């Protein structure tokens, strides 16, 4: 270890969340406080995500799911949306090197159809080239909305029931789970939302039924390894009962 570099905390794997979902909020306010354009906040936010993914992989977290662009974000000002799209494109172009190192499998969940063809191609490419990576699963929620996801799942189930592929009596939680965009991942153990807001904002609504929620005032671009450690410590001290006693 080079002189001056701090060593990572060694976590008890059994007390560490397997899956951390993150609502990265506060980029705009971070930029405003520095008299910078909003896109500078998003750029700093993208860098914070890169750092957190690499750290999460090092300490043994298996899944990070980040809310990077919601269905509602399409309503933002044109210049902010186009700035975010340009940022996303360059981010994806480097994602296999930058986001969690060469051991991260990267996926995208959400409605891709509104994204430019070039971006859709890049999403598919990153998923393809990282498909064999096993250590960390990084999922970017892009064009994502939880209610829309549930409606899509219901439509699939209804079509299967109408065609006789499944019987209505056999529909259970597993049926819905398997039709969600997230069918490859366990439910989040911990949800982090930065910047003092205390909402889920349509993020993984079904999947977060029993997740532990952690809110902090830090603006997302300032969220670093130390801030993540605080969230993990808080999680370690929670007593998860999943509705039981
Ligand atoms: C909220 O900040 C954040 C977003 C709109 C999405 C998160 C985007 C990033 C972290 C950057 C882009 C990500 C990638 C993967 C390239 P806000 O603008 O709502 O902040 P505010 O509430 O302070 O205005």
């Amino acid at each position: 270890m080079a002189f001056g570099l701090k060593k990572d905390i060694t976590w008890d794997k059994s007390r560490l969340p397997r899956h951390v979902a993150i609502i990265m909020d506060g980029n705009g306010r971070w930029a405003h406080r520095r008299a910078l354009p909003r896109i500078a906040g998003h750029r700093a936010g993208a860098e914070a995500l890169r750092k957190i993914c690499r750290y999460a992989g090092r300490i043994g977290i298996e899944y990070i799911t980040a809310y990077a662009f919601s269905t509602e974000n399409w309503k933002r000002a044109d210049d902010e949306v186009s700035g975010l799209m340009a940022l996303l494109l360059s981010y994806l172009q480097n994602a296999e090197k930058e986001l969690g190192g060469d051991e991260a499998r990267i996926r995208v969940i959400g409605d891709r159809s509104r994204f430019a063809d070039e971006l859709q191609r890049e999403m598919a490419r990153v998923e393809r080239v990282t498909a064999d990576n096993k250590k960390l699963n990084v999922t970017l929620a892009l064009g994502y909305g939880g209610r829309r996801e549930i409606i899509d799942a219901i439509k699939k189930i209804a079509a299967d029931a109408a065609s006789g592929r499944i019987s209505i009596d056999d529909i259970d939680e597993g049926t819905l789970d398997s039709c969600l965009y997230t069918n490859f991942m366990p439910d989040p153990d911990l949800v982090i939302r930065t910047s003092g807001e205390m909402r889920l904002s349509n993020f993984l609504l079904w999947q977060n039924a029993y997740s532990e929620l952690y809110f902090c005032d830090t603006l997302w671009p300032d969220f670093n390894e130390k801030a993540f450690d605080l969230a993990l410590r808080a999680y370690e001290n929670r007593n998860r009962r999943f509705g039981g006693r």
Side-chain angles (χ1 to χ4, degrees):
M1 189 178 56
F3 178 74
L5 277 184
K6 275 225 219 77
K7 205 165 170 268
D8 295 338
I9 295 175
T10 305
W11 294 90
D12 170 357
K13 194 91 199 283
S14 68
R15 307 280 299 164
L16 208 56
R18 254 187 103 194
H19 181 181
V20 181
I22 309 178
I23 304 175
M24 309 179 286
D25 199 4
N27 297 346
R29 276 162 285 169
W30 183 92
H32 184 73
R33 284 180 196 174
R34 288 163 179 76
L36 293 168
R38 292 179 62 82
I39 195 64
H42 294 315
R43 214 173 289 124
E47 177 56 23
L49 178 61
R50 190 186 66 82
K51 252 195 277 171
I52 291 302
C53 287
R54 295 182 86 97
Y55 182 55
R58 284 208 306 276
I59 62 177
I61 285 170
E62 292 172 56
Y63 293 84
I64 291 282
T65 303
Y67 207 4
F69 194 84
S70 70
T71 44
E72 290 70 30
N73 288 154
W74 287 114
K75 295 184 209 135
R76 293 200 175 190
D78 289 351
D79 64 334
E80 184 173 354
V81 171
S82 58
L84 269 166
M85 293 301 127
L87 178 62
L88 189 57
L89 183 63
S90 68
Y91 203 71
L92 288 171
Q93 282 165 341
N94 296 302
E96 69 269 31
K97 287 180 239 99
E98 298 279 334
L99 208 52
D102 53 9
E103 289 174 292
R105 178 167 187 179
I106 300 165
R107 297 176 177 97
V108 172
I109 53 168
D111 175 11
R112 303 180 190 198
S113 66
R114 280 183 76 178
F115 290 88
D117 289 349
E118 195 184 14
L119 260 167
Q120 291 188 37
R121 273 198 301 276
E122 207 48 49
M123 293 174 194
R125 187 196 65 78
V126 172
E127 289 182 327
R128 196 176 55 247
V129 300
T130 64
D132 292 330
N133 294 347
K134 296 210 161 39
K135 188 165 173 203
L136 170 69
N137 293 276
V138 175
T139 303
L140 299 176
L142 291 168
Y144 177 86
R147 289 185 173 181
R148 167 74 191 275
E149 178 187 31
I150 293 169
I151 288 169
D152 282 352
I154 290 170
K155 284 182 180 167
K156 274 189 229 157
I157 296 168
D160 282 350
S163 68
R165 271 194 297 273
I166 54 168
S167 127
I168 289 181
D169 290 337
D170 291 338
I171 297 171
D172 58 12
E173 291 188 10
T175 318
L176 199 100
D177 274 335
S178 69
C179 292
L180 295 173
Y181 311 150
T182 52
N183 56 12
F184 58 88
M185 56 167 79
D187 288 341
D189 301 296
L190 172 66
V191 181
I192 297 174
R193 182 169 190 152
T194 56
S195 90
E197 309 290 345
M198 297 188 195
R199 294 185 288 278
L200 282 179
S201 297
N202 207 11
F203 190 43
L204 303 174
L205 294 179
W206 168 273
Q207 300 87 335
N208 282 329
Y210 290 103
S211 307
E212 295 295 328
L213 308 180
Y214 177 85
F215 301 104
C216 65
D217 289 333
T218 310
L219 302 176
W220 174 253
D222 291 328
F223 194 87
N224 55 17
E225 292 88 343
K226 225 167 126 194
F228 196 51
D229 284 342
L230 288 177
L232 297 175
R233 279 276 176 257
Y235 175 83
E236 255 189 347
N237 292 319
R238 302 271 175 102
N239 175 15
R240 301 188 78 196
R241 290 195 298 270
F242 298 95
R245 274 263 129 233

